[in-house]
Amino acid sequence: MAASEVRITNFRKAAVLGAGVMGAQIAAHLANAGVQVLLLDLADKKSYPNAAVDKALGRMLKMKPSPIVHSGVRHLITTGNFDDDLEKLKEADWIIEAVIEKLDVKQQLMGKVEKVASPKAVISTNTSGLPVHQIASKCSAGFRKRFLGTHFFNPPRYLKLLELIPTPETSDAVIEKVERFGRIQLGKGIVLAKDTPNFIANRVGTYAMMLSIKALEDDYTIEEIDALTGPLTGRPKSATFRTADVVGLDTLSYVSQNLWEAVTNDPDRDVFKIPSVLENLVGKGHTGSKTGKGFYVKEKGEIKSLNPETMEYEPRKRLNLGDLDQIKKNNSLRKRWKLLFEEDSRAGSFIRQQTTRSIAYAMNRIPEISDIPLDIDRAIEWGFGWKMGPFAICDAIGAEAFIGQAEKMEIKTPEWFNEMLKSGASSFYKLEDDGSFSHYVPGKGYETAHTHADEISVASLKTSDGRNEIWNNKEAALLDSGDGILIYEFRSKANTLGFNVINGILEAIKITERGDYRGMVIANDGDNFSVGANLGELAYTAEKGDFDKIEQAVANFQKAALAIRYAEKPVVVATQGKVLGGGCELAMGAAGVVAATETYMGLVELGAGLIPAGSGTMTLAARAGEAAANQHASQIQPFLQKAFETVAMAKVAISGQEAVDMGYLSPERTIIAMNADRRIYMARELVLRLSNFGYMAPPPRTNIFVAGSPGLAVLKNAAWQMQQAGWISAYDAFLAGKLAYVLCGGDLSGPSRVHEDYLIELEREVFLSLLGEEKTKARIHSILTTNKPLRN
């Protein structure tokens, strides 16, 4: 297989062997990427042959959060069993083994696979702990060239890491093909790992987790440990013990025990010994979320935590960590780490003890598990959801502070690290004068970090001297990214859409149209594209009674949304994370949208006691009219009903793909980026393509078909039924009626044709009237003060 062939081919058909928790989810994620998947498991001897695998697939489809990106994915997965369907493996381009972690079982299965697999198929194992090279050791040399480890992390859809573990015999072409497909089509961050026990992420991550659990023996409570190993230090909200419960305490025990047995030459191997509290929980069958009891339990609506001394569940305990409020308020994670490391309190003591040991452990695993600190950091960040890996944390607290604490604790650091410091290097990472990013490699010094040309951020497009920022205000900026493409970036808190951001869009489009530019991309580097309108700004202005300013702001928002749609040059929106309310409306009008798979989009204004009024309601009405076969109310009603229910119930799409299914995004103008890091590159390419094809903006909607009063009556009745069923409150029903009023064209007596401006004015009129409602004010206040919607 030539390298050139590898670069231009994708996997079209795959087979996953083993339908357990991981196997079924790997199959689902392959299907998310559009791959046809055959999912096999043992034949069921009691029922029909595929009963076991069908049940496993059914369980997977009910998981929350969902492993699949939309309902159509299910139809790409076919089930079968090892007795009857192994022959079908000959059609697969990629065969992934994910059966029980027993070497002899895996070896026997590989022998059967070799007999039927295509000689061009790639074969891999998802083992998390067994030596990869041994699994295919009894197969032919030709088979071993196509064999490697592909270690996905649970849940495969959401955790970015994919560790590739080639054997000495794995061909470079196979590694390249899996790496490319994994990165582009599956959206993975790829790390090449050595064939050592539990590879990189689980080796270092499990060490850190077991250290934290064992801190219970030092009189720290579960709540205190979770407070210090969660978002405060750039780690998931589930922190240590909730993560353990979700992973499964039996699974954690298995991984830790396996490591303890396998790493006989590791001086720190005793950290992997299962502590008595964990052993007792597993012995009682309290294995975490799947049994309802673990380190935490929910009883009568109250979350209780385990008292490790009595093994009883008790109400959550108050923290005794000192005053951490000022540290929490610091938005810089690097600064928070430094402040915590220096903190003179029980919190500081915990951080110093745990962090010093974890950093030293990672250092001392080089070159055993990897030659490159950056790869260890990436594995931990992508596989465990940490925002900073151990070497990045060392940079944050400072090498001098780390060394001082390590000496106090009599912890040895490796010779390569000591040589690094002697050479004058004091950090693992640094930003060069030309804007490039360098990382330290033991024995080699600093090297420019390898980056993919199609993985770019807004920050990476900024010149070091800032000269390509051609316009800005307090909350937004316009960058010249080269190739005649401008980038409009939000810089507001949570990327909310306030007066400055919206006025900036209007200005940016003017600059794009007047200048020698091809088009514009609206994008940002935030976790969320936009959480919607700036409700705080809106509430403050309303409280002052300046409704003229609010009316002008709403009119400007509508104007900006329409300006995106009717711009003379293509405006493409690149989305990721939450795309709510006004953020959704901006995307709905774009010439093109590049939506990351993890785009969570919705018009959720009813939760704030309002309706979509940034052209969103008008757009949904127009699309319903376009879908109708003719000018009869019965023809438009099904499409209108779908749009109405979607907005009235504030439904949020769980993926970019589902945003298309739900009608938020146009299927003709939307491209899905499985790898979110590629979305801005893809958006720029889309602008160029549209420009090269001779882009013309669509004409104004002058003839929108609306249902009038017959359709309004049907939608109001639907709202009444939802209220009677207890799905919505009386005020929700009132708001739904207002939404229906605009969707159906207001006071029209029957189906009619109207101009988009007519619906735009209705949107604005209803929105402004709702701002005066006391219950709407209460909903906005609730969101601003508790970050939760109020059902009043």
Side-chain angles (χ1 to χ4, degrees):
M1 185 184 293
S4 58
E5 293 177 317
V6 171
R7 283 193 291 271
I8 62 173
T9 59
N10 280 325
F11 296 113
R12 303 299 300 275
K13 294 183 177 181
V16 178
L17 311 181
V21 172
M22 280 303 293
Q25 289 189 85
I26 291 170
H29 198 55
L30 289 166
N32 287 338
V35 178
Q36 297 178 50
V37 185
L38 175 64
L39 179 62
L40 301 184
D41 210 318
L42 295 170
D44 194 303
K45 304 301 182 183
K46 297 179 180 178
S47 184
Y48 65 97
N50 288 353
V53 67
D54 287 346
K55 287 179 182 176
L57 181 61
R59 286 193 297 270
M60 180 273 291
L61 293 171
K62 294 177 182 177
M63 286 181 175
K64 299 294 180 185
S66 177
I68 62 173
V69 295
H70 67 110
S71 58
V73 165
R74 164 65 184 89
H75 305 296
L76 289 173
I77 304 174
T78 303
T79 57
N81 64 82
F82 294 146
D83 289 352
D84 303 324
D85 301 300
L86 271 182
E87 193 69 28
K88 295 178 181 177
L89 295 183
K90 64 184 179 185
E91 300 175 7
D93 306 315
W94 185 8
I95 300 170
I96 303 173
E97 172 274 308
V99 299
I100 190 171
E101 288 284 274
K102 291 186 177 180
L103 182 60
D104 59 336
V105 173
K106 290 179 184 286
Q107 288 177 332
Q108 290 171 19
L109 184 57
M110 284 300 117
K112 295 177 181 179
V113 168
E114 183 174 18
K115 293 177 181 178
V116 294
S118 163
K120 294 182 179 180
V122 171
I123 320 293
S124 70
T125 175
N126 186 58
T127 183
S128 59
L130 296 174
V132 171
H133 68 280
Q134 291 185 16
I135 293 172
S137 61
K138 297 181 180 180
C139 296
S140 67
F143 184 91
R144 296 197 298 272
K145 285 183 180 179
R146 298 179 283 122
F147 179 79
L148 74 164
T150 50
H151 186 212
F152 290 82
F153 277 68
N154 188 17
R157 173 183 164 184
Y158 299 97
L159 284 181
K160 185 175 179 177
L161 180 62
L162 174 59
E163 290 178 318
L164 299 188
I165 309 96
T167 73
E169 296 174 89
T170 308
S171 79
D172 291 341
V174 165
I175 298 170
E176 183 182 351
K177 180 168 185 175
V178 176
E179 183 173 7
R180 180 183 184 279
F181 186 85
R183 186 179 69 84
I184 295 176
Q185 305 300 337
L186 298 181
K188 295 299 178 185
I190 307 296
V191 172
L192 291 177
K194 296 184 179 183
D195 192 3
T196 57
N198 290 75
F199 318 126
I200 298 175
N202 274 346
R203 180 75 172 272
V204 177
T206 302
Y207 178 89
M209 179 170 277
M210 296 306 289
L211 267 186
S212 295
I213 291 174
K214 290 186 176 187
L216 289 171
E217 299 168 6
D218 298 325
D219 293 328
Y220 286 94
T221 66
I222 285 175
E223 290 85 357
E224 288 172 340
I225 294 168
D226 273 357
L228 295 170
T229 58
L232 178 66
T233 48
R235 299 177 187 179
K237 289 181 180 178
S238 53
T240 295
F241 293 101
R242 177 62 183 149
T243 296
D245 280 352
V246 171
V247 168
L249 304 188
D250 51 344
T251 301
L252 178 61
S253 296
Y254 171 81
V255 170
S256 194
Q257 180 66 23
N258 178 69
L259 271 168
W260 186 82
E261 293 174 357
V263 294
T264 53
N265 294 322
D266 186 339
D268 268 351
R269 72 185 289 245
D270 280 351
V271 171
F272 297 112
K273 275 188 176 180
I274 302 171
S276 58
V277 62
L278 186 55
E279 195 170 35
N280 289 339
L281 283 169
V282 174
K284 289 182 176 182
H286 298 171
T287 56
S289 300
K290 55 191 168 187
T291 62
K293 286 185 176 182
F295 286 108
Y296 288 106
V297 68
K298 189 173 185 178
E299 294 179 348
K300 297 179 180 180
E302 181 185 7
I303 302 293
K304 295 182 177 180
S305 62
L306 184 76
N307 181 326
E309 293 182 0
T310 65
M311 294 303 289
E312 299 293 330
Y313 293 98
E314 300 175 355
R316 292 189 181 189
K317 302 167 188 67
R318 294 185 65 178
L319 306 183
N320 179 25
L321 296 173
D323 185 4
L324 300 178
D325 286 347
Q326 289 303 312
I327 296 177
K328 289 177 182 178
K329 290 176 183 177
N330 198 309
N331 291 327
S332 168
L333 179 58
R334 284 179 60 90
K335 289 180 180 176
R336 291 205 303 273
W337 266 111
K338 184 172 178 58
L339 291 170
L340 284 166
F341 202 82
E342 296 170 350
E343 176 74 7
D344 184 17
S345 66
R346 292 180 73 246
S349 178
F350 176 92
I351 291 293
R352 285 187 292 277
Q353 294 284 324
Q354 297 274 317
T355 306
T356 304
R357 292 190 67 179
S358 292
I359 292 172
Y361 188 76
M363 286 180 177
N364 284 305
R365 300 286 70 73
I366 291 175
E368 179 194 350
I369 63 174
S370 176
D371 298 323
I372 305 172
L374 176 60
D375 280 351
I376 294 178
D377 271 358
R378 284 175 169 172
I380 286 293
E381 290 164 10
W382 294 341
F384 279 71
W386 294 14
K387 292 188 182 297
M388 292 171 65
F391 297 99
I393 293 169
C394 186
D395 279 2
I397 63 178
E400 188 176 334
F402 165 73
I403 284 290
Q405 186 63 30
E407 289 175 351
K408 282 183 185 179
M409 297 172 63
E410 298 182 349
I411 294 175
K412 290 184 178 180
T413 53
E415 188 57 34
W416 67 260
F417 177 63
N418 301 329
E419 291 296 327
M420 169 185 144
L421 297 178
K422 288 177 185 177
S423 72
S426 59
S427 65
F428 291 99
Y429 306 111
K430 64 177 182 176
L431 193 63
E432 303 292 353
D433 292 338
D434 63 359
S436 63
F437 172 69
S438 295
H439 65 111
Y440 185 84
V441 180
K444 296 181 180 180
Y446 286 105
E447 294 185 355
T448 300
H450 171 68
T451 57
H452 297 281
D454 60 351
E455 293 185 5
I456 59 178
S457 62
V458 175
S460 71
L461 295 170
K462 298 174 185 175
T463 57
S464 56
D465 59 10
R467 289 184 181 178
N468 68 331
E469 185 171 292
I470 61 175
W471 177 92
N472 68 67
N473 66 22
K474 292 180 180 179
E475 297 186 326
L478 188 64
L479 309 174
D480 184 345
S481 71
D483 301 319
I485 302 169
L486 299 180
I487 304 282
Y488 183 71
E489 177 192 22
F490 308 159
R491 294 176 176 174
S492 53
K493 185 177 180 180
N495 291 326
T496 52
L497 305 174
F499 304 150
N500 286 322
V501 173
I502 297 305
N503 290 336
I505 290 175
L506 293 169
E507 186 64 27
I509 290 174
K510 285 180 187 177
I511 294 170
T512 304
E513 290 181 332
R514 293 172 183 171
D516 187 19
Y517 301 111
R518 309 284 294 277
M520 183 174 83
V521 172
I522 299 178
N524 59 64
D525 294 338
D527 292 338
N528 300 310
F529 174 76
S530 176
V531 296
N534 187 333
L535 287 178
E537 192 175 66
L538 188 68
Y540 175 73
T541 308
E543 195 174 295
K544 290 200 306 179
D546 196 349
F547 285 95
D548 288 343
K549 185 174 182 179
I550 292 176
E551 183 171 7
Q552 184 59 50
V554 176
N556 276 354
F557 200 119
Q558 294 173 323
K559 186 178 178 182
L562 293 178
I564 288 171
R565 176 176 171 82
Y566 297 125
E568 293 176 9
K569 296 173 183 177
V571 177
V572 173
V573 174
T575 67
Q576 77 286 349
K578 293 177 182 177
V579 188
L580 304 178
C584 176
E585 290 173 296
L586 296 182
M588 290 171 79
V593 175
V594 177
T597 288
E598 301 313 322
T599 287
Y600 313 119
M601 180 174 285
L603 294 173
V604 297
E605 284 85 348
L606 267 75
L610 301 165
I611 70 162
S615 80
T617 306
M618 178 275 291
T619 300
L620 290 177
R623 288 178 180 172
E626 290 165 2
N630 55 51
Q631 275 191 272
H632 288 90
S634 61
Q635 296 297 314
I636 192 175
Q637 204 65 46
F639 305 104
L640 207 54
Q641 186 83 23
K642 178 183 176 183
F644 172 73
E645 290 180 359
T646 298
V647 180
M649 299 188 73
K651 293 181 179 178
V652 175
I654 63 165
S655 66
Q657 292 89 330
E658 191 173 78
V660 174
D661 294 345
M662 291 172 67
Y664 290 132
L665 296 178
S666 164
E668 294 82 18
R669 290 186 285 117
T670 302
I671 298 172
I672 302 298
M674 288 291 285
N675 184 337
D677 292 338
R678 299 184 70 239
R679 70 187 185 282
I680 296 174
Y681 164 84
M682 293 168 68
R684 293 180 81 259
E685 291 295 307
L686 183 54
V687 168
L688 290 175
R689 187 174 76 182
L690 290 170
S691 177
N692 289 336
F693 285 178
Y695 177 77
M696 285 186 65
R701 296 179 173 114
T702 60
N703 218 19
I704 298 173
F705 176 40
V706 293
S709 59
L712 179 57
V714 173
L715 296 186
K716 281 188 171 181
N717 182 60
W720 180 83
Q721 289 181 351
M722 284 191 282
Q723 181 188 348
Q724 295 302 304
W727 296 344
I728 61 175
S729 69
Y731 194 60
D732 288 327
F734 168 77
L735 295 169
K738 293 291 186 179
L739 171 68
Y741 178 79
V742 179
L743 282 172
C744 295
D747 294 320
L748 300 173
S749 60
S752 305
R753 296 275 179 178
V754 300
H755 195 286
E756 63 181 20
D757 290 346
Y758 171 79
L759 292 176
I760 284 287
E761 288 177 16
L762 278 182
E763 270 189 359
R764 187 166 66 249
E765 178 185 301
V766 170
F767 182 92
L768 293 170
S769 71
L770 290 172
L771 275 177
E773 296 284 342
E774 290 302 320
K775 289 189 176 181
T776 288
K777 294 177 183 177
R779 289 191 175 199
I780 293 174
H781 179 74
S782 175
I783 291 170
L784 291 174
T785 55
T786 70
N787 202 30
K788 294 179 181 178
L790 175 67
R791 289 290 303 277
N792 54 358

